[in-house]
Amino acid sequence: MKIITLTTAFLLSFYAFSQSGLKGKVTDEQDQPIFGAAVYISALEQGTTTDYNGFYELKDIPQGKHTVKVSFIGYTVGNKTIEISKNTTTSLDFVLEENSTQLQEVEIIGRKERGYKNTNSFIATKSATKLIDVPQSVGYVTKEVILDQAAFTINDVVKNISGINQFSFYNDLTIRGFRVQGQQNSSMLLNGSRMMTSFWSQQLIPHIERVEVIKGPASALFGNSSPGGTINSVTKKPLKEQKQSISASMGSFNTFRLLTDFTGPMTKDKKLLYRLNLGYENTDGFRDLQFGKNIVLAPSFSFIPNDKTRLNFDIVYQDSKGRLDRGQAVFGDGDLYSTPITRSLSASNDYLNEQNLNITLSFQHKLTDNLSLNSTYLNSSYDEDLLEHRTANNFAALGDGTLDISKVAMRVFVRKRSWNNQNFSNYLNYDLDFGDIKNKLLMGYDYFQQELEPGGSQLEANAYLLTNGNSTNSFNVANKDNYVLDADGNPVTNVAHFDLTSTNGNGMRDMSNYVYGVRHYTPYKQVNHGIYIQNQFSYKKFNLLVGLRRDDFTDYLNYNTEDEEKVKQNAFIPRIGAVYKATPNINVYSTWVQGYQPQTATDINNPEAGGPFDPLESELFEVGVKTEWFQKRLGVTLAFYDLTQQGALYSANDSSNADLLKQIGEEKSKGIEIDAYGKILPNWSLVVNYAFNHAYFTEADETTLAIFGDQKPNAPKNTFNFWTKYMINKGNLNGLGFGLGYDYVGERNGSIVRSPELIPVFPSYGLVNTVLYYSVDKFQIQLNFNNIFDQTHWVGGYDFLRAFPGKPRNIMATVSYTF
């Protein structure tokens, strides 16, 4: 028996010793490792992919000559023939050259880079263009930053991009001092197409490859858009290599998250690829009675039958349940610290249920080597089901005309609405050379349609009862006899006030005795036809981008009724940008672009708003420098800009008509921004940004509350962000890493509201965040500590009744496994 055992052991050890193999490293021309490159020997039908450091290894290769191929999207294919000797492991390295002609025109295959730096973008020119060659500032956050910071929403990560900050708790941001928000048909894109989103709930990102922002108006490519910028969310796309990951997070505020990401080929020839991202979150949040139950289901499929044709199909389904948080109310003396930042005005029987579905079909076909056709169709729908107890935007009224600043006047909304967006984009890319002048011509047509579907309606129970059986949100002592009064002469409430001195305000409310009014949201439709042409000229060290777009908007008011009315608006939108390649790693750029944004159908369709209104028009002048350092591992952008907008709508401060709006003459934003993303060393990553932004009113109607020279709402003059991550990759501490971050936001004004005395100034703040990592093989555990000094702060807000505090100290533990 011992002889048999020894013989078996000897044979096994001999077999192990006698194996022949091949190993090596794949890098680019800057000696940077290429992760995910395919290494294969066709004759043996044997292959593998490179790891994070660019290394690969093939085992059990027969001795003799073999041709080894290495391929990766965006690079030329590497071919080498090598002699494999018996019982040896042979080394073979590859250096792949970048091939821009292989870059896809539309983003169908997953991003090739892993790290904080992103090299190419499709959003800025509607074609694969190096960011350093784009004559406009483009900020971004990659999925690696998202994972390292344990972020779950866009609001969590905008701090990593200069000039962007939160306006409120909601899907509501400012870019260079101009507002970008949900439930609009502009400035929020999914894979380059306009989508419909919630205004109330922040956009979820477990399925997102990167978030990118074009600074300034992007109207020349996408039609109506905010002058501050356009936010594009790029979904994770299928990869040719099989990869799976799963992670679970637990932390403060009873938060639990579960994320999965599966991708790879569905067929042996790798012509059909898939990716499936699932996300689940259950959290109480730090605010009283608030919670979130969020589900994201995002499958994606890519069909690549040959080198000329690519087809992609994406579905993103989101289901969110919670309550609508209108913010923190403080005592009427304006002390932001007078009530706990945890206090909300919600009742326990309130709810907010939302569903969002985005279905995208994108197609690319190369008609010739130089001409390609690109088509994308996006169907985007959003459903809102809401019950909320909320402020009536003032403190409790007393019979003598004064206010009780310890109580908040309340009202109730019960609302259901549904929207549907159709976005159809078609364009041709044509590469044409005239001697030394290279041209990349883009010609396209966009069709966009937005509908507010039938049935949209709202029940509203206002604050005070009237003698005629109705209710109202305001109390006018001069018309005291019109109100139901109590024994003390105070107006009787329809919805009871919220007592800021009580701890019982969040209980269930009996709604059976409320007096309701009904508001019907008349169905409307907006249709937009856009045609555009753009050319990118390249001559030696000079690049020139010239574009022109024509948009025709039609609003159908009282849609599908006898009173249907068409409101037409149109615009020509030019864009000019230039880039000079001063050195191999420094580009200087300048740009001039105009923007156009018709007033929303909601404002046009509201007879109480005072319209019709002129469209919003904007203009951007920008110059800057883009550069790459540390063998192109780190990208830096420095931008100087001057941005002007005319025609913004603000409250007319009319006590008799709360809906009345007026157009501000002019608003301006001037500033400096700097962004740096990437690596200083292969194991040391960095994100740094700073913005000085002076956003103010240069012209204002004296009947509004906008005053010449005032800083615009929620537009801090100074913001700064720093985040760094260092991983130890050798020695006894191999696999251990740590990160450190600091977020600073300067002082901000609240929003323009009807009562000037309610407008707060939110103080500046600086938050310190840290993270610890430990990785071994395919397993990682990380521990994120945010706001470690527990600084009380406000991310934005409207007034002293609707202030939006930021999270106190919190912790998140995440366990991840990749296989």
Side-chain angles (χ1 to χ4, degrees):
M1 186 70 181
K2 287 185 177 179
I3 295 175
I4 295 174
T5 303
L6 290 172
T7 303
T8 302
F10 173 77
L11 291 173
L12 289 174
S13 63
F14 177 80
Y15 175 76
F17 178 79
S18 64
Q19 290 184 58
S20 299
L22 180 69
K23 67 178 181 180
K25 186 175 184 181
V26 180
T27 60
D28 62 16
E29 295 170 285
Q30 285 72 46
D31 197 33
Q32 295 303 300
I34 297 177
F35 168 71
V39 183
Y40 54 98
I41 302 175
S42 299
L44 301 178
E45 295 186 352
Q46 187 174 352
T48 187
T49 58
T50 54
D51 63 17
Y52 183 81
N53 296 310
F55 291 107
Y56 72 91
E57 185 174 6
L58 292 168
K59 296 180 179 180
D60 301 330
I61 301 177
Q63 68 180 84
K65 287 188 177 181
H66 299 282
T67 299
V68 184
K69 292 185 178 182
V70 178
S71 64
F72 194 69
I73 294 173
Y75 292 86
T76 56
V77 176
N79 287 279
K80 289 185 179 181
T81 300
I82 191 169
E83 181 83 25
I84 300 295
S85 301
K86 187 177 181 181
N87 303 335
T88 62
T89 298
T90 305
S91 295
L92 182 64
D93 295 338
F94 287 84
V95 178
L96 300 187
E97 297 179 359
E98 189 170 13
N99 184 354
S100 60
T101 61
Q102 290 186 1
L103 294 175
Q104 51 195 329
E105 301 298 340
V106 291
E107 196 150 12
I108 288 178
I109 305 300
R111 170 174 166 264
K112 67 187 181 184
E113 296 176 285
R114 279 179 60 94
Y116 290 3
K117 183 175 182 285
N118 188 53
T119 302
N120 299 294
S121 177
F122 299 80
I123 193 65
T125 61
K126 284 200 172 182
S127 61
T129 304
K130 292 181 179 298
L131 283 170
I132 196 171
D133 293 332
V134 175
Q136 199 162 342
S137 179
V138 179
Y140 57 84
V141 182
T142 66
K143 69 177 183 297
E144 288 75 22
V145 178
I146 293 171
L147 293 172
D148 287 345
Q149 295 181 354
F152 201 73
T153 70
I154 283 184
N155 293 37
D156 291 335
V157 299
V158 293
K159 62 187 179 184
N160 297 289
I161 304 175
S162 66
I164 307 180
N165 59 279
Q166 297 188 60
F167 196 100
S168 65
F169 280 154
Y170 313 133
N171 183 19
D172 186 17
L173 306 168
T174 57
I175 306 177
R176 290 182 171 177
F178 293 91
R179 199 170 180 183
V180 174
Q181 56 191 11
Q183 284 187 11
Q184 303 289 334
N185 61 11
S186 61
S187 296
M188 289 196 175
L189 310 178
L190 182 69
N191 297 321
S193 297
R194 283 180 275 182
M195 64 173 168
M196 190 65 196
T197 67
S198 167
F199 172 70
W200 312 115
S201 298
Q202 300 175 18
Q203 293 185 63
L204 307 178
I205 54 175
H207 60 296
I208 294 301
E209 173 70 37
R210 67 181 180 276
V211 177
E212 51 191 10
V213 177
I214 309 174
K215 307 289 189 65
S219 301
L221 277 182
F222 301 103
N224 53 318
S225 62
S226 167
T230 297
I231 301 173
N232 183 45
S233 298
V234 181
T235 56
K236 295 176 182 177
K237 300 297 190 299
L239 300 172
K240 288 189 174 182
E241 293 72 41
Q242 196 78 30
K243 294 183 182 298
Q244 299 88 25
S245 68
I246 184 170
S247 69
S249 302
M250 295 172 287
S252 301
F253 322 126
N254 296 321
T255 299
F256 173 73
R257 296 172 185 164
L258 183 65
L259 308 177
T260 65
D261 185 358
F262 303 99
T263 187
M266 298 182 70
T267 58
K268 188 175 181 180
D269 58 9
K270 298 186 178 182
K271 292 182 177 181
L272 182 61
L273 313 175
Y274 84 97
R275 192 158 191 169
L276 176 62
N277 282 271
L278 302 174
Y280 171 77
E281 180 188 47
N282 189 352
T283 180
D284 288 344
F286 72 97
R287 302 264 298 151
D288 295 343
L289 222 63
Q290 303 305 314
F291 72 95
K293 294 182 184 293
N294 300 298
I295 296 174
V296 177
L297 174 63
S300 178
F301 303 92
S302 294
F303 178 56
I304 312 172
N306 51 57
D307 292 338
K308 294 184 178 181
T309 304
R310 299 178 182 186
L311 183 69
N312 200 81
F313 182 62
D314 287 287
I315 300 174
V316 180
Y317 171 76
Q318 298 183 25
D319 184 279
S320 297
K321 291 180 171 59
R323 292 189 179 93
L324 178 50
D325 189 352
R326 290 285 181 170
Q328 174 197 10
V330 301
F331 289 102
D333 58 5
D335 181 3
L336 288 170
Y337 301 89
S338 62
T339 62
I341 63 170
T342 57
R343 181 162 298 167
S344 76
L345 303 182
S346 296
S348 59
N349 48 330
D350 289 349
Y351 58 81
L352 173 60
N353 299 327
E354 299 173 292
Q355 290 184 329
N356 190 257
L357 179 63
N358 293 290
I359 303 174
T360 306
L361 181 65
S362 52
F363 171 76
Q364 180 200 7
H365 180 68
K366 285 189 173 292
L367 303 171
T368 69
D369 290 340
N370 298 323
L371 179 64
S372 64
L373 169 67
N374 304 276
S375 293
T376 301
Y377 169 72
L378 170 64
N379 185 307
S380 182
S381 61
Y382 167 73
D383 299 304
E384 173 189 279
D385 185 8
L386 169 70
L387 164 61
E388 64 162 336
H389 285 75
R390 57 156 297 181
T391 169
N393 295 345
N394 214 331
F395 291 95
L398 300 176
D400 59 2
T402 61
L403 299 174
D404 182 349
I405 64 171
S406 67
K407 295 183 175 66
V408 178
M410 298 292 290
R411 53 180 163 167
V412 169
F413 286 168
V414 183
R415 182 169 66 227
K416 289 190 176 184
R417 292 185 292 186
S418 296
W419 281 270
N420 182 264
N421 283 8
Q422 309 283 333
N423 200 131
F424 189 36
S425 178
N426 306 270
Y427 56 93
L428 292 166
N429 284 106
Y430 184 50
D431 297 328
L432 180 64
D433 295 345
F434 292 107
D436 293 335
I437 301 177
K438 296 182 179 180
N439 300 271
K440 193 174 188 66
L441 183 64
L442 175 77
M443 295 176 290
Y445 164 74
D446 292 341
Y447 174 82
F448 176 78
Q449 174 183 299
Q450 181 183 66
E451 281 190 64
L452 175 62
E453 298 180 352
S457 54
Q458 174 178 289
L459 299 177
E460 180 175 357
N462 293 323
Y464 304 106
L465 291 172
L466 297 172
T467 56
N468 63 7
N470 296 323
S471 62
T472 181
N473 282 322
S474 60
F475 176 71
N476 186 345
V477 68
N479 299 319
K480 195 172 183 177
D481 293 340
N482 294 335
Y483 296 81
V484 178
L485 304 176
D486 63 16
D488 297 323
N490 297 319
V492 173
T493 60
N494 181 33
V495 180
H497 299 320
F498 190 101
D499 188 349
L500 295 175
T501 65
S502 171
T503 59
N504 300 320
N506 298 127
M508 291 187 69
R509 299 289 187 99
D510 182 1
M511 302 171 57
S512 61
N513 294 320
Y514 292 167
V515 174
Y516 292 96
V518 181
R519 176 180 178 183
H520 295 281
Y521 295 95
T522 305
Y524 72 79
K525 180 171 77 171
Q526 184 185 76
V527 173
N528 168 219
H529 298 273
I531 57 173
Y532 51 93
I533 185 170
Q534 173 187 278
N535 193 29
Q536 299 177 70
F537 303 88
S538 178
Y539 176 73
K540 295 183 179 179
K541 294 185 176 183
F542 293 91
N543 290 348
L544 179 66
L545 184 151
V546 178
L548 181 65
R549 181 183 178 102
R550 161 81 183 198
D551 270 308
D552 290 282
F553 297 90
T554 302
D555 283 284
Y556 295 80
L557 309 184
N558 300 309
Y559 181 55
N560 276 344
T561 70
E562 293 181 356
D563 299 323
E564 181 175 294
E565 177 186 358
K566 294 181 181 179
V567 178
K568 295 182 178 291
Q569 302 178 72
N570 58 70
F572 280 101
I573 309 165
R575 180 189 188 190
I576 299 176
V579 176
Y580 173 66
K581 300 179 180 181
T583 72
N585 68 320
I586 298 177
N587 284 5
V588 180
Y589 76 91
S590 63
T591 193
W592 170 75
V593 62
Q594 290 186 341
Y596 179 88
Q597 194 173 1
Q599 302 292 354
T600 66
T602 302
D603 296 325
I604 295 174
N605 205 24
N606 183 359
E608 303 299 321
F613 300 105
D614 294 330
L616 293 165
E617 296 181 345
S618 56
E619 185 175 40
L620 170 71
F621 295 94
E622 181 177 313
V623 296
V625 177
K626 296 187 178 184
T627 179
E628 294 178 320
W629 298 93
F630 303 104
Q631 296 180 323
K632 295 189 176 182
R633 291 193 298 260
L634 183 73
V636 182
T637 299
L638 174 65
F640 302 83
Y641 61 87
D642 186 309
L643 178 60
T644 304
Q645 175 180 264
Q646 295 178 329
L649 294 174
Y650 287 91
S651 171
N653 194 31
D654 189 329
S655 59
S656 63
N657 181 6
D659 291 335
L660 187 63
L661 301 172
K662 286 209 171 183
Q663 289 193 279
I664 301 297
E666 185 178 87
E667 302 161 277
K668 184 175 282 290
S669 174
K670 295 181 178 180
I672 303 170
E673 295 171 345
I674 185 168
D675 291 271
Y677 306 93
K679 295 181 178 180
I680 296 176
L681 297 172
N683 57 336
W684 183 8
S685 300
L686 184 71
V687 174
V688 179
N689 66 75
Y690 167 76
F692 170 78
N693 174 47
H694 186 199
Y696 59 101
F697 298 102
T698 54
E699 295 178 16
D701 189 311
E702 61 182 11
T703 62
T704 71
L705 293 176
I707 301 174
F708 173 80
D710 272 7
Q711 188 79 0
K712 291 190 62 190
N714 290 294
K717 284 189 176 181
N718 292 280
T719 56
F720 171 74
N721 169 255
F722 169 82
W723 174 264
T724 186
K725 170 190 174 183
Y726 185 84
M727 296 295 295
I728 300 172
N729 56 5
K730 58 184 177 181
N732 294 332
L733 298 178
N734 181 34
L736 183 66
F738 55 89
L740 178 66
Y742 179 72
D743 310 321
Y744 173 81
V745 178
E747 188 177 85
R748 290 136 293 139
N749 291 333
S751 190
I752 295 176
V753 294
R754 290 190 298 276
S755 301
E757 67 275 7
L758 294 179
I759 301 176
V761 175
F762 296 106
S764 61
Y765 63 86
L767 309 180
V768 178
N769 308 308
T770 62
V771 62
L772 292 174
Y773 309 90
Y774 181 68
S775 300
V776 54
D777 295 329
K778 298 179 179 181
F779 172 88
Q780 176 174 288
I781 183 170
Q782 73 181 66
L783 201 58
N784 291 81
F785 299 86
N786 298 314
N787 191 7
I788 62 174
F789 295 113
D790 201 22
Q791 183 175 5
T792 300
H793 63 289
W794 288 265
V795 299
Y798 300 105
D799 50 40
F800 289 124
L801 294 167
R802 295 171 295 172
F804 299 105
K807 293 179 182 178
R809 181 191 297 121
N810 61 92
I811 186 173
M812 183 71 70
T814 302
V815 179
S816 304
Y817 184 72
T818 302
F819 54 99

